[in-house]
Amino acid sequence: MVRPYLKFIIPIVIPLLILLMPLSAFPFDGLTLIQQRVIAIFLLAALLWVFEPIPIYATSVVIIVLELLMLSNKGLILFRLNESQPEFGQLLKYSDIMATFASPIIMLFLGGFFLAMAATKYRLDVNLARVLLKPFGQNPKYVMLGLMLITGVFSMFMSNTATTAMMLSILAPVIAVFGPKDPGRIAFALCIPVAANIGGIGTPIGTPPNAIALKYLVGDNLITFGEWMAFGVPFVVVMMALSWFLICSLYKADQQRIELTIKGKFLKTPKALVVYITFAATILLWLVGDLHGMNSYTVALIPVAVFSVTGIINKEDLKKISWDVLWLVSGGIALGLALDKTGLAALVVHSIPFGDFSPYVVLFGAALLCLLMANFMSHTATANLLMPIMAALGASMTSLSALGGEVTLILVVTFAASLGMSLPISTPPNALAHATGYVQSNQMARVGVVLGLVGVLLSFVMVAALNVIGFIG
């Protein structure tokens, strides 16, 4: 157990030591002063999120402020004295850093919050819980399975964040049944983000890394929507079963039966009808994005406008929004921005001599690197950074051809990008679940680390099997 004072000292001392080290002490050729500062900020954030000496959302605010002071073109002049020197590096635009507070993903969160608040206010969540969970009986583990299956299916076709926000609103009356110290609370809070993160792997549109991967799967390596689902859905089913078993084993509910007495009926007032119609329309618009041309972020602001204009969500309701979650996510986005725009992430990736290793080491190494990065920065940013490198690496390494070539490498790395879910900042669904207060960071990490590693191994076995039968490669 770490002593309380060390929780403050360690996160401060280690980044300071990084800042004081000469550039020649780092194992990266061409490292700049700006990139050195990003390493220090990255370590500070990681240590603060691990030890939690300050609230987790406060760490995100610290990240953004430090980036503005130390990395931006409008930062403290002390940190810009050597700007003209070649080893200084490229400063970030202050507006780009500040824009993380209003990133599209933040708007998606806001739309999810408005939907959840309206659903709770007009008892839509309670009635959905009553209808959707009824077939799964009263055993807690089967009720949880029901929640996971519903979440997994929705997340294959719509935003994982929106799915999580919707399902967590359904979850509230279910968790209320458990005692305050019942591990079942943790299990139910964890199952939703886990199912959302895994479910998105099942289709090319389920999660951004999948869509990014398709850009490089063309020509002879082309994989159609149906072909992706042919191996993506079985992977999701197996991972969903493993995650359900793991969560049930680690956080077994003390209560043997859940007496779900969810009573009531759908309200029929004008405002309630507006909530129902807006809720259904928003989900439908998320599902059929190709037909209307709007992305999920644009659609997310429709319920914000409708509920604000109609008074369904008033200024008192606005005070109840989990603003700390929005800060938490914006900090993760800002950290990914610094890693990407300063070139540090690319420098680290290119510094690893993949070509000198066996194809098995390359596959596992690339997947594990992607998994690690995806836990600390946006899955989309991770995929955007690694995918072109992996495509080029797969095409150039003749030793990989026996394992399916670049298709195998791209798919394994793509799956790894979506399996990074060990921390509250790893994915928006994780942040939403953490915001409920039912699950702590260390509890999330226990499940996320195991599923991430098992998922990487499973994806390797699955893709190798598909290559043997000639389905890919």
Side-chain angles (χ1 to χ4, degrees), residues 27-335:
F28 309 117
D29 293 331
L31 186 76
T32 65
L33 288 171
I34 290 294
Q35 291 170 342
Q36 181 184 21
R37 294 172 189 174
V38 175
I39 293 174
I41 293 173
F42 179 88
L43 287 175
L44 175 68
L47 291 170
L48 287 176
W49 276 323
V50 169
F51 293 115
E52 291 191 42
I54 60 176
I56 193 167
Y57 70 87
T59 298
S60 291
V61 178
V62 169
I63 292 170
I64 294 174
V65 172
L66 287 178
E67 288 187 7
L68 287 169
L69 294 176
M70 301 173 65
L71 307 179
S72 78
N73 59 346
K74 296 297 180 181
L76 195 63
I77 194 170
L78 176 66
F79 295 109
R80 294 186 281 124
L81 292 177
N82 302 321
E83 184 177 357
S84 59
Q85 296 182 5
E87 68 272 14
F88 183 81
Q90 184 66 41
L91 289 168
L92 302 178
K93 291 182 179 180
Y94 80 97
S95 55
D96 290 343
I97 298 174
M98 287 186 172
T100 59
F101 277 120
S103 165
I105 196 66
I106 300 296
M107 297 301 104
L108 187 61
F109 260 94
L110 195 61
F113 284 150
F114 267 68
L115 282 177
M117 289 176 64
T120 301
K121 194 172 182 179
Y122 290 87
R123 297 184 60 80
L124 177 59
D125 58 341
V126 175
N127 285 298
L128 282 176
R130 173 172 54 85
V131 173
L132 296 177
L133 294 177
K134 188 175 181 180
F136 293 94
Q138 297 179 325
N139 189 316
K141 65 179 182 180
Y142 294 122
V143 174
M144 184 172 71
L145 177 62
L147 283 167
M148 294 181 71
L149 291 176
I150 294 167
T151 303
V153 171
F154 282 178
S155 64
M156 288 184 187
F157 299 97
M158 57 187 282
S159 161
N160 294 348
T161 306
T163 301
T164 302
M166 179 182 68
M167 295 304 295
L168 284 176
S169 67
I170 297 174
L171 182 66
V174 180
I175 284 193
V177 176
F178 292 99
K181 295 184 178 180
D182 194 326
R185 283 180 170 236
I186 303 171
F188 273 66
L190 267 176
C191 74
I192 298 299
V194 167
N197 291 324
I198 293 174
I201 299 174
T203 66
I205 62 170
T207 185
N210 293 4
I212 294 169
L214 287 180
K215 296 179 183 178
Y216 302 94
L217 297 173
V218 294
D220 294 336
N221 298 326
L222 179 66
I223 294 179
T224 66
F225 195 104
E227 289 172 340
W228 186 291
M229 289 191 69
F231 61 79
V233 172
F235 178 85
V236 168
V237 171
V238 174
M239 284 300 298
M240 200 77 77
L242 290 173
S243 60
W244 176 61
F245 177 78
L246 178 63
I247 294 173
C248 287
S249 300
L250 291 177
Y251 305 108
K252 184 178 181 180
D254 292 335
Q255 194 161 316
Q256 299 300 311
R257 296 175 67 83
I258 299 179
E259 297 293 337
L260 287 175
T261 55
I262 305 176
K263 299 180 180 179
K265 56 183 180 180
F266 289 96
L267 302 178
K268 297 180 181 179
T269 63
K271 286 188 175 181
L273 293 176
V274 171
V275 171
Y276 302 158
I277 294 172
T278 305
F279 198 98
T282 302
I283 293 175
L284 182 62
L285 290 172
W286 272 328
L287 288 172
V288 295
D290 291 339
L291 296 180
H292 53 68
M294 293 184 291
N295 60 22
S296 58
Y297 310 113
T298 302
V299 172
L301 288 178
I302 294 176
V304 175
V306 172
F307 295 156
S308 298
V309 169
T310 56
I312 289 171
I313 300 296
N314 54 42
K315 63 180 181 180
E316 294 302 318
D317 295 321
L318 290 177
K319 297 176 183 178
K320 302 174 185 177
I321 289 179
S322 300
W323 297 106
D324 58 320
V325 178
L326 300 183
W327 285 9
L328 170 62
V329 175
S330 64
I333 296 172
L335 189 60

Side-chain angles (χ1 to χ4, degrees), residues 443-473:
Q443 296 163 340
M444 188 173 286
R446 290 178 68 187
V447 173
V449 169
V450 173
L451 291 179
L453 294 175
V454 171
V456 166
L457 292 173
L458 179 62
S459 66
F460 175 75
V461 172
M462 180 200 70
V463 174
L466 291 173
N467 179 59
V468 169
I469 63 176
F471 190 81
I472 62 172

